Amino acid sequence: MFKKILFLLAIVTLASCGSSKSKVATTKKTAYKPKREVVTRKSHTGKPVATTKSSSASNNRSTEVIESTSRTVVYSEVINNYVSQYKEIAKSNMRQYGIPASIILAQGILESGAGSGTLSKTANNHFGIKCHTGWTGESVRHDDDSDQECFRKYNDPAESYKDHAEFLTGRSRYASLFKLEKGDYEAWAKGLKAAGYATDPKYPDKLISYIERYNLHQYDSEVLGTTFTPIQKSQPIASNTTIPNNSEGFYEVTKGDTLYSISKKFNTTVDDLKRLNNLSDNAISIGQFIKVK
């Protein structure tokens, strides 16, 4: 009897030892995700849009507010890249059609948002040319002076540049332009507005501003074989008539304004305004849009 009790105790002891092993918990290691700063801005429709900004992004690039067929905000480096990409086409068109390369490039920058606007991206339309009577090519619909207007669509930007030249040379209302000197970009800018190319009363000033600030007239000189003289004085940022005062950090210069008075109005300094707008001096003009924050 005693032996049976010992035998049972031995079995119980062995069973308890087998069940005392500890369990190992495992965890799944998650990949590290860098933090992103969420920035809320307003789109051209006025609705808030959330975007992300990398912590390594540069904050010292000057911005341009361009009044294309869709309002576009780009960096100056984007404009420089655009000029580098299309300057040869512009010079070639100047030789063939007689339109100053500076005017071609300035219009391309302004109308397409330096290639960043909706029409240039979706339709390769860099000059905001609408369908007009007789157009048999592809087209897209886009809001401009009226809702869902018809705009020409091209297979590539070079086709848009060619059509722009043929558009100007093939319509009698632009005939007076070709009586002007090819090196006189100011007269051409004003002539385009007078002939009805754009409805914006500040259209000539915008073209001239881009030509002089980015020295686009150097390409006219290359074609004409004349001496190029760069513009030393910093020119005002091309104004945007659709931006109300202080909308998204911009202020439209009115009569009597100075950088000093604007700095006091927005609790900043003249030096900060000059830095934000890439200005080398205190010269500003009525209708110019100044970035204030």
Side-chain angles (χ1 to χ4, degrees), residues 76-283:
S76 293
E77 65 191 57
V78 173
I79 297 178
N80 286 322
N81 290 338
Y82 182 88
V83 172
S84 296
Q85 185 174 0
Y86 296 110
K87 64 183 181 181
E88 294 304 325
I89 296 178
K91 289 194 294 182
S92 176
N93 282 5
M94 181 176 181
R95 295 186 186 99
Q96 183 175 354
Y97 298 98
I99 306 165
S102 59
I103 287 291
I104 296 170
L105 289 169
Q107 282 194 282
I109 291 168
L110 189 58
E111 297 288 349
S112 76
S116 299
T118 301
L119 272 179
S120 59
K121 287 186 174 181
T122 60
N124 288 313
N125 190 330
H126 283 234
F127 296 91
I129 298 180
K130 298 177 183 178
C131 292
H132 297 289
T133 304
W135 174 251
T136 58
E138 290 187 78
S139 63
V140 295
R141 294 286 172 176
H142 187 77
D143 292 346
D144 190 45
D145 295 326
S146 302
D147 293 340
Q148 293 298 288
E149 292 190 82
C150 182
F151 285 86
R152 300 183 182 189
K153 182 178 181 180
Y154 307 98
N155 293 322
D156 56 62
E159 195 175 299
S160 174
Y161 269 73
K162 181 180 179 181
D163 190 47
H164 167 260
E166 293 178 346
F167 184 83
L168 293 182
T169 56
R171 283 168 167 73
S172 59
R173 66 174 176 170
Y174 298 115
S176 60
L177 292 172
F178 297 90
K179 297 177 182 178
L180 302 171
E181 292 185 16
K182 293 181 178 63
D184 191 350
Y185 59 82
E186 290 190 18
W188 272 80
K190 294 172 182 177
L192 280 167
K193 172 63 179 68
Y197 191 95
T199 57
D200 182 359
K202 297 180 181 178
Y203 194 77
D205 294 334
K206 293 177 181 181
L207 294 181
I208 293 168
S209 174
Y210 281 116
I211 290 170
E212 295 185 345
R213 284 190 300 119
Y214 291 92
N215 284 313
L216 302 181
H217 50 305
Q218 66 182 291
Y219 306 114
D220 299 340
S221 297
E222 289 177 15
V223 173
L224 297 173
T226 58
T227 301
F228 165 66
T229 304
I231 302 295
Q232 299 295 330
K233 184 178 178 180
S234 177
Q235 300 295 318
I237 290 178
S239 60
N240 182 328
T241 57
T242 63
I243 306 179
N245 286 358
N246 201 29
S247 174
E248 298 186 335
F250 285 87
Y251 172 77
E252 183 178 9
V253 177
T254 59
K255 186 176 181 179
D257 279 333
T258 63
L259 281 183
Y260 179 76
S261 66
I262 295 171
S263 70
K264 292 303 179 183
K265 184 177 295 186
F266 294 98
N267 195 28
T268 183
T269 65
V270 171
D271 287 340
D272 282 342
L273 290 177
K274 290 170 70 174
R275 176 180 55 79
L276 283 172
N277 294 279
N278 197 28
L279 299 174
S280 61
D281 55 36
N282 293 349

